[in-house]
Amino acid sequence: MSADGIIRQPTTGDLAAYAVGKPVSATHIARMAQDVGYLLGQNTQTVIAQCFAYRSSTNRTIKVSYTRNPGVSILLVEAEPHKGSAVVANGTITVTSSAGTIAWASPAAAAAPFNGTVGAFVAHSEDIARRRTWRAYLDVTGLAVGTTYDLNFAWADNSSGKGIAKLTVLECPISSANTVDFPTSDIGMDIGAIHSGLGISTNTTTSARGMARMLAQYDKCRTGNKRQWQVCTSELDADAFQTSSGSYATMMAAHSATNPTWRWRAQRHYTTTGDETMVLGWRYRVSGGATAALQILVDGVATQSTGLTSATYTEVTKALLIPCSGATDQEVTIQIQGRITSGAGTVYLSRARVCSNQS
Amino acid sequence: MTVRWNISDRADAAHGLFKSPAASSTSRLTNGKPMDSGAVMRLSSNIAHLCYESCRHLVASPGLGPTAGTYQNAVGLYGPVREIGFYNDAVDALVISGSSGLPWDPRVCESFLAFVAADRQSDAGPPTLRSIRFSIDYTGDATNSSTSIGFAITTHNDPARLRDGDYLAFHGSGALSTGNQIYTQTLSCQLPITPRHHEAHPGRPASYTSGDTMGFPLPVYLWFGWKFVGTGTGNQINGMSAWESRIDPA
């Protein structure tokens, strides 16, 4: 991102310009810096989670797994209430983590619970109109970069037992932070600092200029180039995805017996392996003292977590490789299944996530 | 409209994979030392490749499942267009034709908020959104007289505020097979993204100049709609996915 806060597109370039024995012009370095700024600005993991609470019950807590990317200061949260729900209008949504309470950081002083845009649906009955949605911003500057947290979204349903049907959490592109007055001193490139005729191999990573600075920012781009596939529900057993089957069976269908199939665009990055390295995370519990297993099927190939016995909701993680054959925009399918391997009980799944693990 | 990707050359034309500069190259970053051209080429290629592969995953949602027949004979597709349909001439025509419109009724569609990068270059003006690939896993009851899917991209999900230009892309499937199916389609926005599209978003860029170089992601709503006509109870939506793609629709 340049000093004016506007992210510019990647530009066309030609590697021939970097000929052996020829000096590299400031123009070409500036172009690379622009590309790095672009990546820093837009290349966040963006969609962190889509959370669901379609079933009706009492108070909710949804835990969203989040690892803060470099430079990211705010998350955009959108809540869609159940029809007839007054939770957003009258209640409070609180967000906590192991780092403490996370404050709402809406553009104006936050009024409980949300201070985002409220749609006007006056002319539409609720039976046929879209549900209204609320947006608000979370200040996550108190979270350490690179550390994985559980963000606990909690609210109380209203008297009719209605709460929030869908919660979407997005990591905002960096320039979004500018307009809500978050510090940007630790991110960005000042392309104007790269002058023709001046040395560019000097300076440090703490100043917004210089080749070393650009390489440091490029490293941030690589670590920040994450994608996350995450589906959450509350940790009430009645809400969680579940099975008591002795053989692998559907886990993550909201109501049906049909195992949902999702699709995913595999990325290709490294020469050492054609596969995309990911982290697979399950947040689960098992009742009845039973032992359970969970598996993810990627194009039908299973990666399993076995011997799961925790009686309380806890997360287990596992390395996962998404196969890449080398084809551009290769797509894979994903399914989630579970089973009881010994004893009699039920395995409950409140969260499944697949997150990039690049370095 | 012709579109192109504004990305640099990559050293490995086949895959453009990352190649790490040699460890010793870091010593070249000291004062007064020239940069090795090979290292700069590698850096340039890596950055270009990162730009190319920076497509994000946008939607990973369970379906709603069959809930008391709420998907059957959805009224949204047949009611007065300006009450329940997109207020847009092109789409109104689709709704009126009775085959591909997308209603606002939450029983027959879901919308998801996502930031989408606007870096597909148009020859005619400012850049537009990346292509978005939609995929839906559905089960259609065998007795349905009509089964179809719709995808759409809009700048917000409030029909009362939808204006020309807020409606960015739409695809209607036409008649689809019943049974458990996956239907996938890539949507390509043909409208240049202008400052007005950012107006409603509090996090928009503080200033906007040189529109032909702006690459700020736009918050948009990605819509999945379905139309199951029949009295059977076997209709359900199992899963929904969407992601940025470098593939342009055919």
Side-chain angles (χ1 to χ4, degrees):
Chain A
M1 177 174 11
S2 58
D4 62 9
I6 293 181
I7 303 166
R8 294 189 163 76
Q9 294 174 266
T11 52
T12 54
D14 185 352
L15 288 173
Y18 311 113
V20 175
K22 299 281 189 181
V24 179
S25 74
T27 300
H28 287 97
I29 297 299
R31 183 188 59 76
M32 285 196 293
Q34 178 176 320
D35 287 357
V36 170
Y38 164 83
L39 288 167
L40 276 171
Q42 63 83 39
N43 202 25
T44 60
Q45 62 195 46
T46 302
V47 176
I48 297 169
Q50 273 119 27
C51 313
F52 297 87
Y54 287 119
R55 297 178 178 88
S56 177
S57 62
T58 56
N59 295 359
R60 309 285 182 170
T61 296
I62 282 180
K63 294 181 184 297
V64 174
S65 178
Y66 176 57
T67 306
R68 184 184 165 202
N69 277 332
V72 171
S73 299
I74 57 176
L75 303 182
L76 172 58
V77 179
E78 183 183 68
E80 180 176 312
H82 280 292
K83 187 181 77 171
S85 169
V87 64
V88 175
N90 303 324
T92 300
I93 298 175
T94 58
V95 187
T96 58
S97 75
S98 59
T101 299
I102 301 174
W104 291 106
S106 294
F114 270 53
N115 194 25
T117 302
V118 177
F121 284 80
V122 177
H124 297 74
S125 78
E126 283 209 303
D127 284 340
I128 63 169
R130 288 300 306 167
R131 301 182 185 102
R132 289 175 294 177
T133 56
W134 277 259
R135 293 186 189 180
Y137 293 88
L138 276 179
D139 177 357
V140 291
T141 53
L143 303 181
V145 171
T147 300
T148 299
Y149 295 91
D150 283 331
L151 305 183
N152 307 313
F153 291 79
W155 64 87
D157 291 353
N158 67 4
S159 57
S160 62
K162 300 293 186 181
I164 292 174
K166 183 168 68 181
L167 195 68
T168 300
V169 185
L170 310 175
E171 191 170 69
C172 285
I174 288 173
S175 67
S176 291
N178 291 346
T179 55
V180 288
D181 298 325
F182 280 97
T184 56
S185 57
D186 64 337
I187 59 172
M189 281 290 300
D190 182 358
I191 297 173
I194 301 172
H195 300 289
S196 177
L198 295 181
I200 55 171
S201 63
T202 61
N203 221 309
T204 70
T205 60
T206 58
S207 177
R209 61 194 65 191
M211 195 67 193
R213 166 72 171 175
M214 194 175 83
L215 292 178
Q217 300 289 31
Y218 168 62
D219 276 348
K220 286 187 177 180
C221 292
R222 289 177 67 157
T223 57
N225 180 32
K226 291 180 179 175
R227 297 177 303 149
Q228 183 150 292
W229 182 103
Q230 183 171 189
V231 177
C232 310
T233 187
S234 84
E235 299 196 345
L236 295 171
D237 288 348
D239 288 354
F241 304 108
Q242 56 194 272
T243 185
S244 299
S245 172
S247 56
Y248 279 111
T250 298
M251 282 297 293
M252 298 198 75
H255 294 278
S256 73
T258 302
N259 206 11
T261 300
W262 290 278
R263 289 162 71 87
W264 175 273
R265 176 190 183 274
Q267 292 188 329
R268 189 162 171 83
H269 277 301
Y270 297 100
T271 54
T272 52
T273 173
D275 297 338
E276 182 178 8
T277 55
M278 314 289 286
V279 171
L280 168 65
W282 312 103
R283 190 167 177 87
Y284 81 98
R285 91 171 193 94
V286 185
S287 67
T291 301
L294 297 166
Q295 74 173 10
I296 185 170
L297 298 172
V298 180
D299 279 349
V301 177
T303 298
Q304 297 168 337
S305 295
T306 57
L308 305 177
T309 57
S310 176
T312 59
Y313 281 99
T314 187
E315 183 178 63
V316 292
T317 60
K318 192 176 183 67
L320 177 68
L321 292 176
I322 302 293
C324 294
S325 66
T328 301
D329 281 284
Q330 181 187 353
E331 297 166 8
V332 297
T333 59
I334 293 175
Q335 288 186 313
I336 307 291
Q337 296 179 327
R339 63 175 294 200
I340 296 295
T341 53
S342 68
T346 301
V347 56
Y348 299 94
L349 186 66
S350 66
R351 181 175 76 203
R353 67 183 178 99
V354 180
C355 184
S356 299
N357 183 33
Q358 296 157 1
S359 59
Chain B
M1 181 173 63
T2 302
V3 295
R4 65 176 186 272
W5 300 112
N6 265 351
I7 57 171
S8 308
D9 278 3
R10 291 177 289 166
D12 182 337
H15 303 304
L17 304 179
F18 285 171
K19 296 171 180 170
S20 299
S24 60
S25 64
T26 55
S27 63
R28 309 281 172 85
L29 298 177
T30 54
N31 285 353
K33 297 284 186 180
M35 289 289 295
D36 169 68
S37 63
V40 176
M41 289 180 72
R42 196 161 282 182
L43 172 65
S44 178
S45 178
N46 283 357
I47 292 173
H49 181 68
L50 197 55
C51 289
Y52 186 84
E53 287 285 2
S54 65
C55 295
R56 284 84 52 83
H57 198 79
L58 304 175
V59 174
S61 168
L64 308 181
T67 52
T70 51
Y71 303 129
Q72 277 74 52
N73 298 316
V75 296
L77 287 169
Y78 302 105
V81 170
R82 292 188 179 181
E83 282 297 315
I84 48 92
F86 288 116
Y87 192 84
N88 174 288
D89 287 343
V91 182
D92 284 355
L94 288 172
V95 173
I96 290 170
S97 74
S99 62
S100 324
L102 187 66
W104 296 99
D105 188 328
R107 294 171 299 178
V108 290
C109 63
E110 276 291 326
S111 66
F112 300 90
L113 177 65
F115 286 100
V116 178
D119 66 351
R120 274 175 78 231
Q121 186 63 47
S122 161
D123 288 338
T128 189
L129 297 182
R130 291 178 177 177
S131 299
I132 306 296
R133 195 145 168 84
F134 289 77
S135 178
I136 188 166
D137 177 358
Y138 73 92
T139 302
D141 192 284
T143 63
N144 285 354
S145 61
S146 175
T147 301
S148 58
I149 298 292
F151 302 128
I153 307 172
T154 65
T155 55
H156 53 79
N157 70 347
D158 182 348
R161 295 165 54 227
L162 207 62
R163 298 174 294 174
D164 285 347
D166 292 341
Y167 182 86
L168 299 175
F170 177 83
H171 169 79
S173 68
L176 294 176
S177 300
T178 56
N180 187 201
Q181 309 284 346
I182 294 178
Y183 182 70
T184 301
Q185 184 69 32
T186 304
L187 266 66
S188 173
C189 171
Q190 297 296 312
L191 291 175
I193 301 304
T194 65
R196 189 180 67 73
H197 290 108
H198 292 284
E199 284 176 1
H201 176 49
R204 65 188 182 279
S207 60
Y208 185 94
T209 57
S210 304
D212 59 340
T213 62
M214 183 177 170
F216 182 75
L218 180 72
V220 297
Y221 282 91
L222 308 178
W223 292 80
F224 296 74
W226 48 89
K227 177 187 177 184
F228 299 134
V229 179
T231 57
T233 58
N235 293 307
Q236 58 194 35
I237 300 299
N238 305 312
M240 293 169 273
S241 306
W243 61 95
E244 294 177 341
S245 172
R246 295 290 184 182
I247 297 175
D248 278 332

